[in-house]
Amino acid sequence: MSDVVERTLSALPGLLGQQDPGAGPGGGPGRVSATSRLGGLIRSITALSSKHEEEKLIQQEQTNLKATVSAPTTTLRLMKECMVRLIYCEMLGYESSFGYIHAIKLAQQGNLLEKRVGYLAVSLFLHENHELLLLLVNTVVKDLQSTNLVEVCMALTVVSQIFPREMIPAVLPLIEDKLQHSKEIIRRKAVQALYKFYLIAPNQVQHIHDKFRKALCDRDVGVMAASLHIYLQMIKKNASGYKDLTESFVSILKQVVGGKLPIDFNYHSVPAPWLQIQLLRILGLLGKDDPRTSELMYDVLDESLRRAEINHNITYAILFECVQTIYTICPKSDLLEKAAKCIGKFVLSPKINLKYLGLKALTYVIQQDPNLALQHQMTIIECLDHPDPIIKRETLELLYRITNGQNVTVIVQKMLDYLRQSKEEYTIINLTGKIAELVEKYAPDNEWFIQTMNAVFSVGGDVMHPDIPNNFLRLLAEGFDDEKEDEELRLYAVQSYLSLLEEEDTFYPQKFLQVMSWVLGEYSYLINDGDPEVIITRLHRLLKQTFVTSETKAWIMTAVTKMSSRMSCSKTIDKLIQEFSTSLDTCMRQYAFELKHLCENKELMKNLFPLDASCDEIMVDASLSFLDGFVAEGLSCGAAPYKPHHQRQEEKLSQEKALNFEPYGLSFTSNMSSSGFTGRQSPAGLSLGSDMSGNSAELGQKETNCLKLDGVRKLWGKEGYLPKKENKTGKEDKTQPVPQDSILTAHVVDPPLMQSEQQVVSLSEEEKEKQQLASTLFVGLGSNSTISLIFESLSCHFPVIEAQSMESCQKCVQLEKVCTEGVLSGSISYHLDTDTHLEFSLTFSLSDFIRPMKMTTEDFGRLWLSFSNDVKQNLKMSPSQGSLSVALNALKQKLKLHIVEIIGNEGIAACRLLPSVPCLLHCRTHARTLALWFRSSCSALPDSLLYQCQKVMEEA
Amino acid sequence: MIKFFLMVNKQGQTRLSRYYEHVEIHKRTMLEAEVIKNCLSRSKEQCSFIEYKDFKLVYRQYAALFIVVGINETENEMAVYELIHNFVEVLDRYFSRVEKWYVMLNDQEVNDNSHYHLTKTNTHLSFFFQSELDVSFPIMFNLDRVHIILDEMVLNGCIVETNKNRILAPLFVLDKMAES
């Protein structure tokens, strides 16, 4: 565009703002005047060259818009147009909250297209918890009852995009009615709306599960497809509840694959590909670990593979999903073979997107079928040096899955190489976590272990997950079974850090420095020939560095203190004390004084810092009873008795005689809600913590000073985890009873590997390198499977024998995210002639994490008012549940509630979600219904507890 | 699950954005800037999928316009890659049916810039997608309609409809009613 034109355009919006607002017929798309104002804005924005100019222009635009939308003369048509411009402003990142209310008004008052734009603007502007959203409910209810189908459609669309959870009951019956509507589009959108409700409040739609089934069997494909979204979610949560639907899903997929759908569902002549993918996912979930259900789907999976033969991206997408499903369900050999072939085709493809898909599939199946990795080893090696980082990344992911004790060094080296080039925070967090895990599991020797962890700490810096240094330190501190080996490891660590600190002015991340100082403080005594003075000098030098944060300085000071307890006198320490006694940093000053006083009493100091005792438990007197004498003395001298913080606050407020706008007991509740919900989210919402006894209710008085770390190592055993190869060969052996020798040879022969080794002679140097890499990477994958066990029939009875030794270990399971149910699975490996592997899985429900919470009625009242998240529901009571006290007692027993008080037909109860998230319940009976009202500081808790209550009431 | 759907031009200007999880406005602009930077840095030979933070980006380039979809690990990258194309085909069908739109374009643009001149034979949106013109202009002028189309296809981060007739049906009805 020429300069002149550009300048004219940038002046446009100003000019346009003054034009007659109602000009032109603003109907169909592209009517000149309807879009010209927006068009002008867009064009001038596009022509701008700096952010500053854009800001100025948008500000001007917003001022114009603000005036227009609030002017009473503004027509709805103009309002619609303003909304689109507001959408545009927000899209560019300029908040236009002054228009939100007008969007709601437009949805309420506009004619069809205006209404639609109003709804659109609402769904774009507001979020789920926005307070203005409540104003939309009436409009939605009205439109749902409209005789105009277009309006019904719009209302259903907006409901399935954004709707306040607490208002669901207001529209639910209307939407349920729509499930029987004669038009497919209405039924389809009603199902979509119910899907939204299922996502935000699952128990509110529980009673309509049979209607979902009806939707699944709907004569229209669209309605059926919409119901699949709900089913996918429900099956993900609880596959066993929907096994009976397997045949329906299979027959639907058969019809889709067989081309029975109307032709307009095709995409590039592939019938409803996204629907196929959805169905394949559902089948995978249903067939997992269930041979009988898996059997039902073998045919259709075979057909899907067969039909997807056209070379088009969309068929690749289907094939990928198919392969995943085949490897998820119980295996069938000929299907696996076809799937493997398919993966091979992907991996070898010159198309980069397809190669990526192949690698991803390979990564998914590799643990079940390590031979596949052997087949494609050369491709994998090539991908490892691929110029596209995402291919490299996916390859590393694959290698991570096939790591064992023999190839760990090479694989970890490759991961570190990648890590050093990456600057992306998430990649660093992810990869350092994986490396640390592999290193812990498979480290071949001390040197390598420490060196690799040094690399992880240097590269991972301060972004890596804090568990990594914590785990590492605990590993060092707790050691393994062999005391001598432990000492060697610690000694090596000390030596390695000393040499790292030797160089002046080298920068290390804070976390790394903290690890170093802890290890030096704890284990530097292991160096027999070294002079402790040297170590202290190096630590002292660090303390003076500017890049060292005050947190790290505290670690270093602690290390120095520990070391000084083992030395008679040291010039450096004296100097250090002198230096920091006048430090401006109060913490450092305090450390220096503490150290000074401790140094004067070496005996006390030795008691305080015993050698190698970091794992010993220290009893902490949480009630501070040793101060009782001090307190008594103070009281006798006339000091005022101690009052807790909230009490002081209350008194202060009541003295001021002012209105109190703060909810009572705020300090108490904020304490509660802040605890327990931090940390990584694990997929099941459960995570393993440790160092706490099973029941943390008793924990209050006793705390250990051990580092809080996860017990990965213990779970996996020294040999680490190897894929379940034995099982597989065991199975084969059963079907083909051949002598052991022949099995051995049969397994050892691994065609691609052998061939490639013979060809080595004629290969170039580069190729040779790759071959070598391959042999180091894929070692221990294929040929290992020769170790096979032949199982005879297992029906015999074993004699009862005494256990030789017993190991007991306790883990604490903590609920991070409120959910109704979660499965904890794990395995125990132990060595008994052969490596044995025991898998277990435990199902926890929310009620396992609920404990009674004792309180008085007054406390209850105070807490009740301070909680904002609440859920109400009426439940039907059966005649046997008669009175309130019977019902409450049932809840008390099953859910471990504490009943605070019952008065007539009303009762209150309290419980807490471990560790200390309170939830309060108020209930009232009235004519065979039990009205439950939950309140809590955690938003998801009332909903989930209500669900548990419903279950209890149903069971009773 | 789909996290967001973006259309961004080569200059880094957002042409359409729809988030399926709430993101603060100022974070959106930051995210969009980073996303487009990521896409622009890639060559044609490279993969159409990028790892970005804890999710993945699937992108497709049409002339000067990028369509980028953010997904989490449960989604099938290739299926999303084709979803983008399906969306473009739907836009193409919609805008080629509504001829007046081109009249508008002719009226307004012909004087400014002869590149925008369209002949009768060229009234397909695919014309834009294949040419070096900024395809986002026609999309931008009808921002509301493009959103309405997208809302029919993707809801709550799920692909809910891919049948072109069904995607467009509600919008055609709206247009018809508005005209009469």
Side-chain angles (χ1 to χ4, degrees), chain A residues 35 43 46 88 112 123 160-161 189 196 220 264 267-268 274 317 321 353 356 360 388 393, chain B residues 14-15 18 42 47-48 51 56 76-77 79 82 89 104 108 140-141 151-152 156 165-166 177:
Chain A
T35 43
R43 250 171 279 162
T46 310
Y88 183 72
L112 290 175
S123 75
S160 39
Q161 282 172 320
K189 290 197 174 264
K196 177 71 180 182
D220 184 82
D264 60 352
Y267 174 75
H268 292 253
W274 291 277
E321 212 66 45
N353 287 347
Y356 169 82
K360 203 181 158 194
D388 192 348
R393 184 76 183 75
Chain B
T14 310
R15 291 336 206 153
R18 172 56 112 170
R42 296 179 65 86
C47 200
S48 310
E51 198 150 82
K56 290 214 174 90
N76 176 331
E77 286 90 347
E82 285 308 300
E89 285 180 349
M104 183 263 326
Q108 293 210 322
M140 291 305 300
F141 293 148
D151 281 354
E152 289 297 317
N156 285 309
N165 292 336
R166 290 190 169 197
M177 296 228 178

Side-chain angles (χ1 to χ4, degrees), chain A residues 194-250:
Chain A
L194 291 176
Y195 172 64
K196 177 71 180 182
F197 293 167
Y198 178 79
L199 289 180
I200 56 178
N203 36 313
Q204 304 225 26
V205 289
Q206 254 177 1
H207 61 288
I208 27 183
H209 277 199
D210 53 325
K211 289 190 182 157
F212 293 156
R213 286 192 183 225
K214 243 172 132 182
L216 181 67
C217 305
D218 198 282
R219 59 187 182 279
D220 184 82
V221 189
V223 183
M224 180 276 295
S227 76
L228 292 183
H229 291 289
I230 304 183
Y231 276 109
L232 183 69
Q233 289 299 326
M234 295 198 293
I235 292 170
K236 240 184 221 167
K237 269 199 185 144
N238 169 27
S240 55
Y242 302 91
K243 299 273 180 181
D244 57 320
L245 286 175
T246 312
E247 277 173 324
S248 311
F249 293 126
V250 166

Side-chain angles (χ1 to χ4, degrees), chain A residues 434-669:
Chain A
K434 283 188 171 140
I435 295 175
E437 187 197 326
L438 292 179
V439 169
E440 266 187 35
K441 261 196 248 171
Y442 303 114
D445 56 63
N446 289 341
E447 275 104 296
W448 187 83
F449 177 65
I450 299 292
Q451 294 294 356
T452 315
M453 285 313 284
N454 285 354
V456 168
F457 291 138
S458 311
V459 187
D462 295 316
V463 297
M464 70 183 165
H465 201 279
D467 275 358
I468 297 173
N470 290 353
N471 274 339
F472 172 75
L473 289 184
R474 194 176 75 161
L475 216 66
L476 274 187
E478 289 188 345
F480 313 114
D481 306 328
D482 186 351
E483 189 58 39
K484 197 171 154 240
E485 210 176 287
D486 291 344
E487 281 203 355
E488 271 169 22
L489 180 64
R490 290 168 193 159
L491 181 63
Y492 188 81
V494 170
Q495 284 165 340
S496 131
Y497 297 154
L498 274 181
S499 65
L500 284 178
L501 290 179
E502 204 167 344
E503 286 162 50
E504 271 182 71
D505 300 326
T506 356
F507 173 83
Y508 295 108
Q510 306 299 323
K511 288 265 166 63
F512 193 14
L513 287 175
Q514 291 166 12
V515 167
M516 287 191 215
S517 31
W518 191 85
V519 172
L520 289 177
E522 204 64 36
Y523 298 116
S524 59
Y525 72 91
L526 290 170
I527 305 186
N528 291 326
D529 48 346
D531 181 6
E533 198 72 26
V534 178
I535 306 174
I536 294 202
T537 317
R538 275 177 206 164
L539 290 175
H540 182 215
R541 199 164 63 203
L542 269 183
L543 279 175
K544 288 189 287 189
Q545 298 279 10
T546 43
F547 68 84
V548 178
T549 63
S550 48
E551 190 199 349
T552 310
K553 279 183 185 159
W555 285 72
I556 299 174
M557 266 317 247
T558 316
V560 171
T561 313
K562 279 184 204 162
M563 287 181 66
S564 71
S565 72
R566 287 165 218 141
M567 293 158 69
S568 49
C569 66
S570 151
K571 269 184 201 158
T572 327
I573 290 181
D574 293 342
K575 208 170 103 195
L576 193 144
I577 292 174
Q578 212 177 11
E579 232 169 78
F580 288 98
S581 299
T582 53
S583 165
L584 287 176
D585 184 341
T586 29
C587 283
M588 287 310 284
R589 216 157 59 219
Q590 166 149 5
Y591 287 127
F593 278 117
E594 279 173 12
L595 184 57
K596 189 178 161 200
H597 285 289
L598 284 171
C599 282
E600 283 160 11
N601 189 347
K602 286 280 170 188
E603 272 314 301
L604 173 71
M605 202 172 185
K606 278 209 175 105
N607 281 333
L608 264 182
F609 302 105
L611 262 195
D612 193 17
S614 58
C615 297
D616 297 352
E617 283 191 17
I618 294 178
M619 298 298 282
V620 174
D621 185 356
S623 66
L624 306 180
S625 61
F626 56 89
L627 286 174
D628 283 352
F630 178 77
V631 174
E633 202 178 302
L635 285 172
S636 68
C637 291
Y642 174 75
K643 285 173 191 162
H645 180 68
H646 65 269
Q647 201 182 338
R648 270 177 285 163
Q649 231 179 7
E650 271 170 44
E651 280 174 14
K652 202 173 137 204
L653 282 166
S654 62
Q655 272 166 11
E656 283 169 6
K657 300 241 188 278
L659 275 175
N660 177 17
F661 294 107
E662 300 264 318
Y664 287 102
L666 189 68
S667 59
F668 171 55
T669 50

Side-chain angles (χ1 to χ4, degrees), chain A residues 66-79:
Chain A
K66 211 173 195 168
T68 318
V69 292
S70 49
T73 50
T74 305
T75 61
L76 289 171
R77 181 182 298 148
L78 180 61
M79 192 66 97

Side-chain angles (χ1 to χ4, degrees), chain A residues 160-359:
Chain A
S160 39
Q161 282 172 320
I162 186 169
F163 199 75
R165 193 172 60 178
E166 59 272 29
M167 295 310 283
I168 292 176
V171 291
L172 192 57
L174 290 170
I175 292 176
E176 274 182 65
D177 279 350
K178 302 285 180 254
L179 290 173
Q180 273 99 44
H181 202 276
S182 58
K183 283 270 186 273
E184 70 75 27
I185 186 165
I186 303 283
R187 294 202 301 278
R188 175 159 60 90
K189 290 197 174 264
V191 175
Q192 282 164 6
L194 291 176
Y195 172 64
K196 177 71 180 182
F197 293 167
Y198 178 79
L199 289 180
I200 56 178
N203 36 313
Q204 304 225 26
V205 289
Q206 254 177 1
H207 61 288
I208 27 183
H209 277 199
D210 53 325
K211 289 190 182 157
F212 293 156
R213 286 192 183 225
K214 243 172 132 182
L216 181 67
C217 305
D218 198 282
R219 59 187 182 279
D220 184 82
V221 189
V223 183
M224 180 276 295
S227 76
L228 292 183
H229 291 289
I230 304 183
Y231 276 109
L232 183 69
Q233 289 299 326
M234 295 198 293
I235 292 170
K236 240 184 221 167
K237 269 199 185 144
N238 169 27
S240 55
Y242 302 91
K243 299 273 180 181
D244 57 320
L245 286 175
T246 312
E247 277 173 324
S248 311
F249 293 126
V250 166
S251 91
I252 294 169
L253 183 56
K254 247 187 202 141
Q255 291 173 51
V256 177
V257 173
K260 299 268 162 46
L261 298 191
I263 198 93
D264 60 352
F265 280 92
N266 285 7
Y267 174 75
H268 292 253
S269 49
V270 180
W274 291 277
L275 178 59
Q276 288 192 42
I277 288 171
Q278 188 83 347
L279 284 162
L280 285 167
R281 276 181 199 156
I282 290 178
L283 289 183
L285 291 171
L286 285 170
K288 192 166 190 251
D289 302 325
D290 182 347
R292 231 200 275 149
T293 312
S294 298
E295 199 131 319
L296 297 172
M297 45 189 91
Y298 290 147
D299 275 350
V300 75
L301 290 175
D302 192 54
E303 197 172 340
S304 290
L305 280 180
R306 210 151 26 82
R307 294 261 187 174
E309 266 179 347
I310 323 161
N311 283 330
H312 189 279
N313 278 335
I314 197 67
T315 50
Y316 302 144
I318 297 174
L319 281 175
F320 173 79
E321 212 66 45
C322 226
V323 167
Q324 270 205 330
T325 305
I326 288 170
Y327 272 94
T328 311
I329 63 172
C330 292
K332 181 165 194 270
S333 56
D334 66 318
L335 274 181
L336 288 180
E337 214 171 278
K338 283 179 191 168
K341 229 187 202 163
C342 188
I343 294 177
K345 214 174 87 187
F346 282 8
V347 172
L348 295 172
S349 166
K351 290 182 190 154
I352 185 94
N353 287 347
L354 212 50
K355 201 185 248 327
Y356 169 82
L357 222 54
L359 279 172

